[in-house]
């Protein structure tokens, strides 16, 4: 590792916070990653354009390596690093900082645009069931509330990290009535809800939705009860590498999130698995709501091609200048 391409401590801290889930949720991770790239660019001490490019790519790799499932992270890195351009360090720096700013603006605009579209599905008096904490899903509820609709929510706790508590808090701030339930109570409450509304970490070319573990079981149960399943996902959740047959890696997390060491020892020899996400096949999803409109999952591939083309470059990878 050469000193000239050393990474800024703030970028390292952002990467650690993403890995530790202090910064979490696909859209929030993307926003934090581009901000870190901009800090790296602004604070870089290198005076050679080649070294600057190498340092930015290294910064991208460091962020990329934090969590594998949410494609918003590599898509955010792509957005900024693909726009890194110039013959001098000053020009390169400016290109990175301005691309990062542009990305952040688009991220927030996309979320509010998709919120308006998702809100059209929600009627006054409806009840939604949520899983995990998705800012895209909450944007739909917020827009509906802004339109004067009164909504209620059944909020799944979402083991093991209980992101449902964050959702419950946000929904209460919006004035939505909240009933918090444990995950295993979901089926019992499905008869009382009008929509299942979730977010996504990645959407594959065949329309499969990758989201917090438990989403697929919820979707299967909701389909059986005739409750529509709506996925709120900005287009940065579209996974371009699945166009060429790649699969989405499901993150496996520490067993300590599931069971404490003492209890584990009391039980004796056992394996503890902690997958953070699962895959919901397109046949269990009614609609994917994006900032570009609402899509049946099977048609999302058209939008994916339009936005990403056939190839998904990896501009953070090491290469010869
Ligand atoms: C978060 C999660 C969220 C999506 C969408 O998982 O699965 O549903 O990331 O969130 P984790 P958003 O807590 O493990 O990061 O709509 O905010 O992008």
């Amino acid at each position: 590792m050469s000193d000239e391409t050393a990474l800024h401590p703030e970028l390292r801290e952002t990467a650690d916070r993403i890995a530790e889930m202090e910064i979490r949720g696909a859209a929030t991770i993307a926003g934090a990653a581009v901000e870190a790239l901009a800090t790296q660019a602004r604070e870089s001490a290198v005076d050679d354009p080649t070294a600057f490019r190498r340092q930015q790519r290294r910064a991208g790799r460091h962020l990329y390596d934090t969590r594998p499932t949410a494609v918003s992270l590599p898509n955010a890195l792509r957005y900024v690093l693909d726009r890194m351009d110039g013959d001098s360090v000053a020009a390169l720096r400016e290109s990175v900082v301005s691309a990062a700013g542009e990305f952040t603006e688009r991220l927030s605009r996309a979320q509010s645009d998709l919120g308006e579209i998702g809100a059209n599905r929600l009627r006054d008096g409806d009840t939604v069931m949520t899983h995990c904490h998705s800012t895209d899903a909450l944007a739909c509820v917020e827009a509906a509330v802004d339109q004067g609709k009164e909504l209620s929510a059944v909020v799944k706790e979402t083991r093991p990290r209980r992101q449902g508590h964050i959702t419950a808090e946000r929904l209460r701030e919006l004035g939505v009535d909240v009933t918090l339930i444990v995950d295993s109570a979901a089926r019992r409450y499905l008869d009382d809800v009008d929509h299942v509304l979730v977010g996504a970490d990645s959407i594959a070319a065949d329309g499969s939705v990758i989201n917090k573990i438990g989403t697929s079981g919820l979707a299967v149960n909701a389909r059986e009860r005739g409750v529509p399943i709506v996925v709120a996902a900005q287009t940065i959740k579209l996974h371009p590498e699945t166009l060429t047959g790649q699969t989405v890696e499901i993150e496996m997390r520490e067993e300590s999130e599931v069971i404490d060491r003492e209890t584990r020892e009391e039980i004796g020899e056992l394996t503890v698995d902690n997958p953070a996400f699962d895959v919901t096949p397109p046949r269990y999803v009614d609609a994917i709501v994006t900032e570009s409109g609402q899509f049946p999952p099977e048609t999302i591939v058209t939008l994916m091609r339009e936005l990403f083309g056939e190839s998904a470059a990896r501009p953070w990878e090491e290469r010869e200048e």
Side-chain angles (χ1 to χ4, degrees), residues 265-301:
E265 276 163 15
E266 266 168 35
I267 295 172
E269 183 63 33
L270 86 161
T271 303
V272 180
D273 272 358
N274 184 17
F277 301 99
D278 66 18
V279 182
T280 303
R283 65 182 178 280
Y284 295 110
V285 176
D286 288 276
I288 298 175
V289 173
T290 76
E291 72 275 21
S292 307
Q294 166 185 296
F295 296 83
E298 294 81 2
T299 67
I300 205 77
V301 62

Side-chain angles (χ1 to χ4, degrees), residues 8-296:
H8 193 271
E10 267 183 47
L11 181 132
R12 288 190 176 280
E13 193 191 321
T14 298
D16 290 348
R17 293 182 67 212
I18 293 172
E20 295 300 319
M21 287 176 63
E22 282 168 35
I23 296 171
R24 49 146 298 281
T28 309
I29 290 171
V34 299
E35 217 177 280
L37 283 182
T39 303
Q40 178 69 59
R42 250 188 245 108
E43 306 289 325
S44 173
V46 302
D47 54 10
D48 166 62
T50 304
F52 184 93
R53 278 197 206 89
R54 201 178 314 127
Q55 185 182 49
Q56 279 291 314
R57 283 204 298 274
R58 219 181 125 214
R61 276 202 299 288
H62 191 67
L63 291 161
Y64 177 79
D65 286 340
T66 52
R67 293 187 78 188
T69 306
V71 75
S72 52
L73 172 57
N75 282 345
L77 301 175
R78 271 185 194 109
Y79 190 93
V80 174
L81 296 178
D82 283 349
R83 285 166 179 76
M84 177 166 65
D85 190 29
D87 297 330
S88 65
V89 167
L92 287 164
R93 175 178 287 127
E94 166 56 22
S95 68
V96 169
V97 171
S98 94
E102 208 176 273
F103 180 87
T104 307
E105 223 173 85
R106 287 171 71 123
L107 191 69
S108 119
R109 198 168 49 231
Q111 191 163 77
S112 64
D113 288 353
L114 88 76
E116 296 293 330
I117 295 167
N120 292 334
R121 298 186 63 100
L122 308 175
R123 291 153 306 177
D124 190 30
D126 275 359
T127 301
V128 298
M129 183 179 280
T130 65
H131 184 60
C132 197
H133 167 240
S134 156
T135 55
D136 282 352
L138 284 177
C140 303
V141 175
E142 186 172 356
V145 168
D146 286 348
Q147 291 168 2
K149 295 171 184 167
E150 274 192 34
L151 300 175
S152 305
V154 176
V155 171
K156 291 180 72 206
E157 174 191 39
T158 317
R159 280 277 290 155
R161 299 287 293 243
R162 296 191 172 87
Q163 291 92 331
H165 291 189
I166 311 170
T167 300
E169 201 180 330
R170 298 285 172 272
L171 288 170
R172 285 305 304 136
E173 284 163 9
L174 295 173
V176 173
D177 281 341
V178 171
T179 303
L180 181 72
I181 58 168
V182 295
D183 295 320
S184 42
R187 187 163 181 268
R188 182 182 165 91
Y189 282 82
L190 275 169
D191 285 341
D192 304 336
V193 310
D194 303 289
H195 318 262
V196 165
L197 177 60
V198 295
D201 289 87
S202 285
I203 295 180
D206 71 346
S208 293
V209 172
I210 295 89
N211 191 49
K212 180 54 54 191
I213 189 80
T215 303
S216 64
L218 174 60
V220 171
N221 281 330
R223 174 54 49 84
E224 184 238 358
R225 292 287 165 109
V227 180
I229 302 115
V230 180
V231 176
Q234 305 181 41
T235 52
I236 53 159
K237 316 289 179 64
L238 301 180
H239 202 305
E241 293 183 36
T242 60
L243 281 167
T244 49
Q246 303 254 14
T247 52
V248 179
E249 182 183 342
I250 300 293
E251 177 183 9
M252 298 299 287
R253 294 191 60 87
E254 293 291 304
E255 61 178 50
S256 59
E257 291 184 345
V258 178
I259 190 167
D260 62 77
R261 185 138 40 102
E262 205 173 279
T263 314
R264 193 192 194 292
E265 276 163 15
E266 266 168 35
I267 295 172
E269 183 63 33
L270 86 161
T271 303
V272 180
D273 272 358
N274 184 17
F277 301 99
D278 66 18
V279 182
T280 303
R283 65 182 178 280
Y284 295 110
V285 176
D286 288 276
I288 298 175
V289 173
T290 76
E291 72 275 21
S292 307
Q294 166 185 296
F295 296 83

